[in-house]
Amino acid sequence: MRFQWNLILGLLFALIVAIFAVVNVDSVRVNYVFGYSEIPLILIILGSALLGGLIVGMFGILRQYRQQRQIKKLEKEIEQLKSIKVEEKPVEKKSNDSSEKANEDESENQNQ
């Protein structure tokens, strides 16, 4: 459902930008560092919207890539912790048994 709302909002935003661009068709003078140029305002508006979308998309891809790397790292850590936990369980039982035997030996020594 969230994807559908994002799609609807994206289309609505694109429609607003398109209407705004069509209304502003006059040529404007653009000052570059190395010169000037006359460009229709519609191209500047659409170009700016496209460039902004590409930048946001690239940051989204970068964020998703980082999250995937973090997920893989955490999954490996979980597997390592599970394997350590499985290895320690029998050791804990043996140590508990040996401590119980030591306690029994001490109580027998005290009784004698």
Side-chain angles (χ1 to χ4, degrees):
M1 189 71 174
R2 182 177 178 202
F3 175 75
Q4 292 172 345
W5 282 109
N6 286 340
L7 181 65
I8 290 170
L9 290 175
L11 290 174
L12 183 63
F13 180 72
L15 180 65
I16 291 170
V17 169
I19 291 171
F20 184 72
V22 169
V23 172
N24 293 295
V25 292
D26 298 333
S27 291
V28 293
R29 186 174 184 180
V30 178
N31 182 4
Y32 301 107
V33 176
F34 50 85
Y36 297 97
S37 148
E38 293 283 330
I39 300 176
L41 188 56
I42 189 171
L43 293 179
I44 294 173
I45 293 170
L46 293 176
S48 298
L50 179 64
L51 187 62
L54 289 174
I55 291 171
V56 168
M58 293 300 287
F59 278 115
I61 290 171
L62 179 66
R63 180 177 173 214
Q64 187 176 10
Y65 174 73
R66 287 181 179 170
Q67 285 179 343
Q68 289 297 324
R69 278 188 18 206
Q70 183 72 16
I71 287 170
K72 286 180 183 179
K73 179 183 171 187
L74 292 174
E75 284 175 346
K76 285 181 183 177
E77 188 176 328
I78 287 171
E79 289 300 320
Q80 288 175 350
L81 290 174
K82 282 182 180 179
S83 66
I84 290 172
K85 187 176 180 181
V86 168
E87 291 173 4
E88 287 181 356
K89 277 189 175 181
V91 172
E92 289 177 10
K93 288 181 180 178
K94 289 180 182 178
S95 64
N96 287 341
D97 292 340
S98 62
S99 63
E100 288 176 6
K101 288 180 183 179
N103 288 338
E104 288 175 5
D105 291 339
E106 286 179 18
S107 63
E108 286 179 13
N109 289 339
Q110 288 177 355
N111 289 338
Q112 291 175 357

